[in-house]
Amino acid sequence: MSSLTANDVMPLALQRQQRRFLVLALLAVLLLTGFAVSVGWGAVGISPAQVFAILLKALGLGNLLTGDVVGDESVWAFGRREETVLLAIRLPRALLAVLVGAALAVSGAALQGLFRNPLADPGLIGVSTGAGLAAAATIVLGNGLASFLSLRFGFDWQTADALPLGAMILPLAAFLGGLVSTFLVYRVASRAGQTDVATLLLAGVAMNAISAAGIGLLVFVSDDQQLRDLNFWMLGSLGGVTWAKILSVAPFIAGASVALALFSRHLNALLLGEREAQHLGFRIEWTKRSIVLLVALATGASVAVTGVIGFVGLVVPHLVRLTMGADHKTLLPASMLLGASLMLFADLAARTLVLPAELPIGILTSCVGGPFFLWLLVRARARGIW
């Protein structure tokens, strides 16, 4: 049997590289298409030409379309309504969908590689439910806390001067809740500088149970208005997003997501086992700690502004892995692109299926993710994994 020579290996490596580039290019086209459809489709229709013209005007380049080009009968012509809907509602919403979808997907892919478990996702280590508990406490107890601060210290975060703080109380609480939850889980699973993956998973299950109990208690003591806000937030939604909210969380979401994508070599080495990866020169404990903290940052910041959106981190990496294999150099960036696209289309469906009402986006992702999860279990059992 003849062995592969250098001349044989080079074409194979080139084919893999070309295939990787083609897949990423197709996913990028899908993302751009989803973005264009998302900002243009809805109760107020905005054509691609109008979108382009509005963006040029917002960038101060409106003089490029002058004269007959932007006449009343031109395809470029737009009114004040279209401009307001695009810039104030749909554009920030679409950008947030891209950020959150990419963050949840790459977080799921990173955790699946770290735990070498195809059923891992960001909710596994308690990030989502921890953030949800903190946000629920803010919704239910926030008015009482505001009254106490006003009476005790003369501080009112609802005044005009403090309005930015008031608008950020809920996202900040959710973000801190996710970080605290992850820190507690990690501390339980760490001993003598070593992190046991099995203990980490079990601690995450326990933290999810504790957070769920806390949320249930808050639901029980909430009034009607708080209950409506709480239920809608816990089911996930991109509604009500503003540029201020995006700017406050975008550095955390984008920075953590990009940083996770840089761990592709580490995760590829971990596929061989921790001992083998350590022999290859990788710092295993530092890798575990870094990935867990980055997942907490990306997921916690996402949950802070959208609520709990499940199954994106589970479904997207699997779809990529089934078509492209387990190489994290492709898996991580492809998951980011596909996750962003999936979130765009899910949000589009959420706000157009039951007009003029809006479905919580978490319901749609669960409708897809739940059956997919069951299929994974059946498939794994059939292959003798469990």
Side-chain angles (χ1 to χ4, degrees):
M1 181 181 296
S2 61
S3 59
L4 289 176
T5 64
N7 292 332
D8 296 324
V9 172
M10 288 300 293
L12 292 176
L14 182 60
Q15 289 178 6
R16 286 195 298 268
Q17 185 176 2
Q18 290 175 342
R19 185 183 179 189
R20 176 172 180 264
F21 176 80
L22 177 61
V23 169
L24 293 178
L26 291 175
L27 289 175
V29 171
L30 177 64
L31 176 59
L32 292 175
T33 302
F35 193 88
V37 173
S38 179
V39 298
W41 197 354
V44 177
I46 307 175
S47 69
Q50 290 175 319
V51 171
F52 184 68
I54 294 172
L55 293 179
L56 283 181
K57 180 183 177 182
L59 295 173
L61 302 175
N63 57 342
L64 296 178
L65 299 174
T66 58
D68 295 336
V69 177
V70 292
D72 293 338
E73 302 300 326
S74 171
V75 295
W76 305 96
F78 59 88
R80 181 66 178 172
R81 183 179 66 166
E82 288 81 4
E83 183 178 8
T84 301
V85 168
L86 177 65
L87 297 180
I89 301 177
R90 291 190 188 165
L91 190 58
R93 185 164 178 155
L95 289 174
L96 182 62
V98 170
L99 287 172
V100 171
L104 295 178
V106 75
S107 296
L111 287 179
Q112 290 171 14
L114 176 64
F115 298 146
R116 297 181 294 283
N117 186 334
L119 302 180
D121 79 330
L124 190 68
I125 57 176
V127 185
S128 298
T129 53
L133 175 60
T138 303
I139 292 173
V140 176
L141 307 176
N143 291 334
L145 179 60
S147 300
F148 171 78
L149 292 176
S150 179
L151 293 174
R152 182 68 177 82
F153 303 104
F155 173 71
D156 184 3
W157 63 45
Q158 299 302 328
T159 61
D161 293 338
L163 186 57
L165 176 60
M168 286 306 299
I169 289 296
L170 180 60
L172 181 61
F175 175 62
L176 293 178
L179 287 181
V180 170
S181 177
T182 305
F183 174 77
L184 292 176
V185 169
Y186 189 81
R187 289 289 296 174
V188 170
S190 299
R191 182 179 181 183
Q194 302 292 317
T195 304
D196 182 68
V197 172
T199 305
L200 187 69
L201 297 176
L202 293 175
V205 171
M207 185 58 66
N208 284 333
I210 294 171
S211 299
I215 293 172
L217 177 62
L218 291 168
V219 168
F220 179 75
V221 301
S222 61
D223 58 32
D224 290 341
Q225 181 59 46
Q226 292 169 346
L227 184 60
R228 284 193 293 268
D229 294 341
L230 192 57
N231 284 337
F232 194 76
W233 193 88
M234 291 304 299
L235 291 174
S237 173
L238 300 180
V241 62
T242 62
W243 287 109
K245 282 186 178 181
I246 290 181
L247 293 176
S248 65
V249 298
F252 300 104
I253 298 177
S257 300
V258 172
L260 282 172
L262 299 178
F263 279 87
S264 58
R265 294 177 61 250
H266 303 74
L267 292 171
N268 280 343
L270 282 172
L271 292 176
L272 303 174
E274 292 188 11
R275 183 174 299 177
E276 289 76 6
Q278 192 166 7
H279 288 326
L280 291 174
F282 293 97
R283 294 185 294 171
I284 301 304
E285 290 304 314
W286 177 84
T287 298
K288 290 181 185 178
R289 188 179 302 113
S290 299
I291 290 177
V292 168
L293 291 178
L294 287 172
V295 167
L297 182 60
T299 307
S302 299
V303 171
V305 289
T306 65
V308 180
I309 300 176
F311 290 107
V312 176
L314 175 69
V315 172
V316 172
H318 263 285
L319 293 177
V320 177
R321 191 180 289 109
L322 289 173
T323 56
M324 291 303 302
D327 185 358
H328 288 86
K329 291 182 180 179
T330 302
L331 179 62
L332 295 179
S335 294
M336 293 177 68
L337 292 172
L338 184 58
S341 301
L342 176 63
M343 190 64 68
L344 282 170
F345 286 111
D347 181 56
L348 177 63
R351 61 182 174 82
T352 57
L353 285 178
V354 291
L355 284 172
E358 178 180 326
L359 280 174
I361 193 172
I363 292 179
L364 294 177
T365 58
S366 296
C367 287
V368 175
F372 189 84
F373 184 78
L374 291 175
W375 175 78
L376 288 178
L377 292 176
V378 173
R379 182 171 179 263
R381 186 173 183 179
R383 296 173 60 185
I385 297 178
W386 291 305

